[in-house]
Amino acid sequence: MNFFWAFLIGGAICVFGQLLMDVGKLTPAHTMSTLVVLGAIADGCNLYDPFIEFAGAGATVPITSFGNALVHGALEELHKDGYIGIITGIFKVTSAGVSAAIIFSFIAAVFVKPKG
């Protein structure tokens, strides 16, 4: 049953993003930013963790979880280290994902010839 809910919730998030682009006429960048901000707001309101418990990978794989990770890390380190923790918490939680994106983008740029 976990797979079902993960598939359903993850698909619903993707459908929402697609509707933002098709109906709302947002660019992919605006859609991505909107989903990250919605994930951040949901975590700030303590709504994203129960959402993860319910949907599993359906809530952690889409881009909304990046906003969740940013706010979650910032708030965790804020309580631990004070106001400087807001900045360090963001980097602590998301640094692996951002580093991987940079490294794999560089590898793709080296081995793939762009069109045009």
Side-chain angles (χ1 to χ4, degrees):
M1 201 62 182
N2 291 339
F3 294 117
F4 173 75
W5 287 115
F7 179 78
L8 193 68
I9 299 299
I13 292 171
C14 292
V15 166
F16 178 68
Q18 192 65 45
L19 287 172
L20 287 175
M21 289 190 287
D22 293 344
V23 177
K25 303 295 183 204
L26 295 179
T27 66
H30 287 109
T31 301
M32 182 178 65
S33 299
T34 301
L35 291 173
V36 169
V37 169
L38 288 175
I41 291 170
D43 188 60
C45 296
N46 292 322
L47 298 174
Y48 211 84
D49 285 336
F51 188 54
I52 290 172
E53 288 293 320
F54 174 71
T60 58
V61 172
I63 193 71
T64 52
S65 68
F66 186 69
N68 167 54
L70 289 172
V71 172
H72 200 74
L75 291 176
E76 188 175 299
E77 292 297 316
L78 171 68
H79 296 300
K80 192 165 136 185
D81 296 332
Y83 288 109
I84 193 70
I86 294 172
I87 297 168
T88 60
I90 290 172
F91 293 121
K92 184 185 247 183
V93 175
T94 61
S95 62
V98 172
S99 298
I102 292 169
I103 291 167
F104 290 125
S105 297
F106 175 76
I107 292 170
V110 168
F111 292 109
V112 177
K113 185 178 178 183
K115 294 180 182 179

